[in-house]
Amino acid sequence: MAPFQEVIRQELENSMKKELEALLATAPTSEVEHTAKDFEGFQKLFHRFLQEKGPSVDWGKIQRPPEDSILPYEKIKERGLPENVSALLNKLVVVKLNGGLGTSMGCKGPKSLISVRNENTFLDLTVQQIEHLNKTYNTEVALVLMNSFNTDEDTKKILQKYSHCRVKIHTFNQSRYPRINKESLLPIARDVSNTGENAESWYPPGHGDIYASFYNSGLLDSLIAEGKEYIFVSNIDNLGATVDLHILSHLMNPPNGKKCEFIMEVTNKTRADVKGGTLTEYEGKLRLLEIAQVPKSHVDEFKSVSKFKIFNTNNLWISLPTIKRLQEQNAMDMEIIVNPKTLDGGLNVIQLETAVGAAIKSFDALGINVPRSRFLPVKTTSDLLLVMSNLYSLNAGSLTMSEKREFPTVPLVKLGSSFTKVQDYLKRFESIPDILELDHLTVSGDVTFGKNVVLKGTVIIIANHGDRIDIPPGAVLENKIVSGNLRILDH
């Protein structure tokens, strides 16, 4: 770094230190200790942010991962299951990332509390899956929720309803970091409170924060003391992320005898996944490459399905003792994601974040290419339509695709802006259509669906501005384009 830049960097760090000390002074006594820990983590991240300008990868060094570093799931399944499945399960903890709100789907509160199937929420389905495992194998698989300050209170209230379930549930909170002004690079918060005009001043710093927060909470140590060895981490809105006994067995009984510290489940890219992070080899290590790290001139190459054939599902299996060791050695290495935001008042801020999968390069790691069915995220009401439909059946909290579907791919569904909010979406369907034979559905404008509608092949329904289309009860639409104005009047 040039001497002049070094001076500026030092000044920025000193200003940040003073600002954080002033903020800490406003904290109630009961919050001082954990706020100080959060600020310490933030300062480390801020220090690295100032050091590392420009793209964090040298494109010329990116290689395809070696053949033996990503195993096909079928190969693992071929080995069959050992007799001691219960013993393996007793060493596992399921961790769900539960920091997100349902705002993108027009819902208040934690996303995990949105109903997705037969009145069951994401959290209900997760608890049912683990309870089913514990009853079937007579085991004690625990569930850990990583909450954020946005979701913690509401989640804890709801947890009481599971007190009679055969699942031990723990929670810990991810850190709370200050948003910084894009120009001054200083916190915009006036004090440490999270209410009123200060509510927009804080953010949870991405799921890469799991390692430090889990360690700092004391929960990591207590689980290791109970004899737990691995965590299975996934997003709570990925309904395909269930405990897979074959992957667990591969972790615990590797064919070469050498235990793996980190498994990332990847799956084949389709056109819909071009932005997903991919696994590469970089300087001799497996590394997660995210679109944000790619130099602009190479973005098209990154998106190409021919060069990077797989993407990260964010289903991860990670060794607990290794997390502890890396945290204690301060050796967890994750790229910084700089996330720019514009607040309601027009102020431009920056959030410094990290991603859980980016730590792969700090571990002795392996990729497993899993079936697409293990990646079923519900990010929008278009995804919700799929999981609520007859494409899937629900059994003990797990969704499986109907055998009546002739091909295992999921239809491409694009519902327009009138369907964005869950409550609007629900009003527009008297019942969820039969989509067993659907390939592609696009709906735009003011459209409603009557009961028992069947959609097949490619269906496009477009109501122009000011028009409305009511699809009548019992209608069968196969390879149809419906446009204009279609109002079904009762008479």
Side-chain angles (χ1 to χ4, degrees), residues 238-241 267 370-376 392 399 401 408 410:
N238 178 6
L239 294 177
T267 194
V370 296
R372 179 72 185 206
S373 57
R374 293 193 55 73
F375 185 67
L376 186 57
Y392 293 97
L399 290 180
M401 193 177 276
V410 175

Side-chain angles (χ1 to χ4, degrees), residues 40-104:
E40 193 185 312
F42 176 74
Q43 271 178 287
K44 280 183 192 166
L45 204 56
F46 184 67
H47 172 78
R48 282 180 45 216
F49 163 69
L50 294 177
Q51 297 276 33
E52 306 168 6
K53 287 291 183 196
S56 55
V57 292
D58 174 347
W59 194 257
K61 290 184 181 175
I62 289 171
Q63 307 286 329
R64 273 196 188 160
E67 286 293 308
D68 60 352
S69 65
I70 300 180
L71 297 179
Y73 177 76
E74 290 66 37
K75 199 171 174 186
I76 285 170
K77 204 171 175 182
E78 272 169 17
R79 293 180 64 209
L81 289 173
E83 285 177 10
N84 63 339
V85 168
S86 301
L88 303 184
L89 281 167
N90 277 329
K91 293 179 179 174
L92 181 71
V93 176
V94 174
V95 179
K96 293 286 182 185
L97 304 172
N98 185 45
L101 293 167
T103 37
S104 66

Side-chain angles (χ1 to χ4, degrees), residues 296-463:
K296 283 203 166 51
S297 56
H298 292 284
V299 166
D300 287 344
E301 196 178 337
F302 172 82
K303 287 180 174 178
S304 98
V305 183
S306 55
K307 179 158 184 177
F308 299 110
K309 295 183 186 326
I310 51 161
F311 72 98
N312 167 29
T313 63
N314 223 35
N315 301 347
L316 308 166
W317 304 73
I318 313 171
S319 152
L320 284 170
T322 311
I323 295 175
K324 180 176 164 68
R325 174 175 60 78
L326 289 169
Q327 276 303 124
E328 288 172 352
Q329 294 170 349
N330 200 15
M332 196 72 77
D333 183 10
M334 289 173 281
E335 292 78 27
I336 296 175
I337 299 161
V338 179
N339 189 355
K341 296 258 179 193
T342 303
L343 302 185
D344 287 347
L347 184 66
N348 290 321
V349 296
I350 288 174
Q351 295 183 180
L352 302 180
E353 303 176 4
T354 54
V356 57
I360 189 168
K361 61 175 183 284
S362 304
F363 293 82
D364 185 6
L366 182 69
I368 294 183
N369 191 337
V370 296
R372 179 72 185 206
S373 57
R374 293 193 55 73
F375 185 67
L376 186 57
V378 180
K379 303 286 182 197
T380 62
T381 49
S382 301
D383 300 328
L384 199 53
L385 178 68
L386 295 170
V387 300
M388 289 176 99
S389 75
N390 61 342
L391 262 190
Y392 293 97
S393 57
L394 180 64
N395 184 15
S398 298
L399 290 180
T400 43
M401 193 177 276
S402 166
E403 288 172 5
K404 293 177 187 161
R405 173 95 175 154
E406 285 182 18
F407 20 82
T409 55
V410 175
L412 195 59
V413 173
K414 290 178 185 169
L415 299 178
S417 54
S418 311
F419 292 79
T420 303
K421 294 182 176 178
V422 172
Q423 65 207 61
D424 296 341
Y425 154 89
L426 290 171
K427 280 183 200 148
R428 291 179 176 278
F429 289 100
E430 271 191 61
S431 69
I432 301 297
D434 173 333
I435 59 171
L436 273 178
E437 294 178 45
L438 181 70
D439 299 323
H440 181 137
L441 172 67
T442 297
V443 182
S444 176
D446 185 359
V447 179
T448 64
F449 291 80
K451 276 198 165 134
N452 306 323
V453 170
V454 180
L455 304 173
K456 300 180 180 189
T458 296
V459 177
I460 298 168
I461 305 169
I462 297 172

Side-chain angles (χ1 to χ4, degrees), residues 118-137:
N118 307 356
E119 302 301 309
N120 289 301
T121 65
F122 290 105
L123 189 53
D124 292 336
L125 296 176
T126 301
V127 172
Q128 287 167 27
Q129 287 163 20
I130 300 172
E131 183 175 48
H132 178 66
L133 271 180
N134 286 338
K135 284 179 172 172
T136 306
Y137 293 98

Side-chain angles (χ1 to χ4, degrees), residues 186 280 288 367 404:
L186 290 173
T280 60
L288 179 65
K404 293 177 187 161

